[in-house]
């Protein structure tokens, strides 16, 4: 039986604290779309997505109306395109992104994910083609999101892929320089891939400002509560459950970063105990590809050693420096440009190769 106080708290969350559902996502397998003819493959991709997801947005809107809670985004996630396109006789993978984009527009969704590759165990020729195409694909599409998984606890970290992804992030920023490097906001590098301000919640727990000493411990406590609550409320558990800390999408994080209380180093420490990783971080436009690769490697190492999902979504904002702001609009918000360390990592990143899986991964 719900108490009066619990009912009033729920009303307050919806009315005053603007409780919403961040997104609903429909997963669609595209393996049946594989075809040696790239044009036929793209046509099959478009047709299947439109057929399967034609009612996703109307159903989402019906749910919103029934329960009175807004759903901010409706999304589609598909099989990694590097797998679907592997059998195609083509070196140009940009048309696959355009097929996804057309399908997303037809279905009326906000984003479509799956322009992706899984390279933790090594890169196939299809993986290389897709990774090379990412900058152009994100520059020429509106709704497509891309991701590359570079490591896992069982496989270790593919440092050749980490090096290449640093270059891909830089090229993506340059191709979308007229929009402050917006393409990078739709590009995530993973390890172990699978509303209210989080910063303000941490401050409600007793911190004067997010980023001060004790932030990591408070975040661990919050994440634990969210995860256990999610398990108790579900008959089956799927996906990620926990606290996310996207800087540009969280007004409390933005304020803490602008004041200097929240640094890249502190964010990295916080990712040890929260879900995912360094998310929506803007850095100076002249940040080198090697430095970006090193940031990716650091975050992947945290995920690999701790057997958790981590990721990096970083925006080297063209023409901007520390203290400037990158405006992306909508749910993606705005991000203050944060400083990075200037010590060179060129030689380390140039080594390539693989960081081995940790000892505790050796179990059957």
């Amino acid at each position: 039986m719900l108490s009066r106080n619990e009912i009033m708290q729920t009303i307050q969350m919806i009315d005053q604290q603007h409780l919403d559902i961040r997104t609903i996502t429909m997963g669609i397998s595209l393996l049946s779309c594989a075809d040696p003819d790239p044009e036929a493959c793209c046509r099959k991709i478009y047709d299947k997505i439109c057929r399967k997801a034609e009612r996703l947005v109307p159903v989402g809107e019906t749910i919103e109306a029934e329960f009175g809670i807004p759903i901010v985004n409706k999304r589609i996630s598909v099989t990694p395109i590097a797998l679907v396109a592997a059998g195609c006789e083509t070196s140009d993978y940009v048309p696959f992104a355009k097929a996804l984009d057309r399908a997303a527009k037809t279905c009326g969704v906000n984003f479509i994910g799956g322009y992706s590759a899984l390279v933790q165990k090594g890169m196939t020729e299809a993986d290389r083609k897709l990774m090379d195409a990412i900058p152009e694909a994100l520059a020429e599409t509106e709704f497509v999101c891309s991701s590359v998984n570079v490591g896992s606890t069982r496989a270790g970290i593919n440092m050749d892929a980490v090096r290449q992804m640093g270059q891909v992030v830089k090229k993506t920023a340059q191709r979308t320089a007229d929009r402050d490097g917006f393409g990078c906001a739709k590009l995530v590098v993973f390890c172990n891939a699978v509303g209210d301000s989080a910063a303000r919640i941490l401050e409600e727990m007793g911190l004067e400002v997010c980023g001060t000493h004790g932030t990591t411990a408070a975040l661990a406590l919050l994440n634990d509560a969210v995860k256990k609550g999610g398990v108790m409320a579900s008959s089956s558990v799927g996906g990620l459950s926990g606290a996310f800390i996207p800087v540009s999408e969280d007004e409390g994080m933005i304020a803490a970063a602008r004041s200097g209380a929240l640094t890249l180093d502190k964010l990295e420490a916080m990712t040890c105990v929260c879900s995912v990783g360094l998310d929506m971080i803007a850095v100076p436009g002249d940040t080198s590809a090697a430095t970006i690769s090193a940031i990716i490697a650091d975050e992947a190492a945290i995920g690999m050693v701790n057997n958790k999902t981590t990721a990096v979504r970083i925006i080297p904002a063209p023409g901007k420096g520390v203290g400037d702001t990158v405006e992306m609009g909508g749910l993606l918000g705005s991000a203050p440009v944060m400083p990075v360390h200037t010590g060179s990592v060129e030689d380390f990143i140039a080594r390539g190769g693989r960081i081995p899986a940790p000892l505790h991964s050796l179990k059957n």
Side-chain angles (χ1 to χ4, degrees):
M1 178 71 74
L2 293 173
S3 70
R4 181 176 180 276
N5 284 340
E6 289 172 325
I7 295 172
M8 293 304 297
Q9 286 175 358
T10 302
I11 293 173
Q12 183 182 36
M13 281 192 291
I14 296 172
D15 185 49
Q16 298 180 20
Q17 299 175 3
H18 307 295
L19 172 70
D20 57 39
I21 298 172
R22 178 182 175 85
T23 184
I24 56 173
T25 304
M26 182 177 187
I28 301 174
S29 171
L30 297 182
L31 291 177
S32 63
C33 300
D35 194 295
D37 181 350
E39 291 186 7
C41 185
C42 287
R43 185 170 58 252
K44 290 179 180 179
I45 288 171
Y46 173 84
D47 290 344
K48 184 168 186 179
I49 292 172
C50 292
R51 186 172 67 254
K52 295 291 187 180
E54 63 178 346
R55 289 196 43 76
L56 175 59
V57 172
V59 169
E61 291 171 347
T62 299
I63 294 171
E64 289 179 279
E66 181 178 354
F67 294 100
I69 299 177
I71 299 171
V72 179
N73 278 324
K74 288 85 173 176
R75 303 182 182 182
I76 296 170
S77 179
V78 302
T79 308
I81 290 298
L83 297 177
V84 181
C88 290
E89 298 170 354
T90 180
S91 60
D92 183 8
Y93 276 29
V94 174
F96 299 105
K98 292 182 177 179
L100 293 176
D101 204 52
R102 290 195 303 273
K105 186 174 183 179
T106 299
C107 294
V109 297
N110 301 98
F111 295 106
I112 184 165
Y115 196 72
S116 308
L118 307 174
V119 300
Q120 64 272 17
K121 294 183 178 179
M123 290 182 280
T124 66
E125 188 61 28
D127 294 328
R128 294 182 190 278
K129 291 176 182 177
L130 184 134
M131 291 164 70
D132 288 340
I134 287 173
E136 184 179 353
L138 294 183
E140 297 189 8
T141 59
E142 184 178 357
F143 305 106
V144 173
C145 296
S146 180
S147 66
V148 176
N149 191 75
V150 299
S152 71
T153 300
R154 296 299 297 270
I157 301 172
N158 183 342
M159 289 299 291
D160 291 325
V162 168
R163 177 176 58 189
Q164 184 172 347
M165 285 310 299
Q167 297 165 356
V168 168
V169 170
K170 283 288 289 186
K171 290 176 182 177
T172 302
Q174 292 162 1
R175 287 298 302 267
T176 55
D178 59 328
R179 290 169 284 164
D180 285 345
F182 176 75
C184 296
K186 301 187 295 174
L187 173 58
V188 184
V189 185
F190 279 106
C191 178
N192 286 322
V194 282
D196 283 337
S197 165
R200 297 305 184 212
I201 295 173
L202 296 176
E203 289 165 5
E204 286 291 329
M205 293 170 66
L207 303 177
E208 182 177 355
V209 61
C210 177
T212 191
H213 299 299
T215 297
T216 303
L219 182 59
L221 180 60
L222 172 63
N223 203 57
D224 178 74
V226 172
K227 283 184 175 293
K228 288 177 178 174
V231 170
M232 291 176 65
S234 303
S235 58
S236 61
V237 179
L240 294 171
S241 175
F244 290 72
I245 50 174
V247 173
S248 77
E249 302 171 24
D250 188 308
E251 57 88 16
M253 295 289 177
I254 293 170
R258 282 194 176 128
S259 72
L262 191 62
T263 65
L264 199 57
D265 291 340
K266 186 63 177 180
L267 280 167
E268 186 177 289
M270 291 166 69
T271 66
C272 295
V273 297
C274 76
S275 293
V276 193
L278 296 174
D279 197 12
M280 293 301 290
I281 309 293
V283 297
D286 60 359
T287 302
S288 70
T291 296
I292 295 170
S293 293
I295 292 170
I296 293 170
D298 282 343
E299 198 59 36
I302 291 172
M304 177 185 70
V305 171
N306 292 290
N307 195 24
K308 68 186 292 290
T309 299
T310 53
V312 174
R313 186 162 49 150
I314 190 168
I315 305 161
K320 293 187 180 290
V322 175
D324 292 335
T325 299
V326 178
E327 298 285 352
M328 284 159 286
L331 182 66
L332 297 176
S334 63
V337 177
M338 303 176 71
V340 299
H341 293 293
T342 57
S344 175
V345 293
E346 298 284 347
D347 291 345
F348 174 67
I349 295 301
R351 289 177 178 271
R354 175 176 298 277
I355 295 179
L359 189 62
H360 61 255
S361 71
L362 303 177
K363 52 189 177 183
N364 53 20

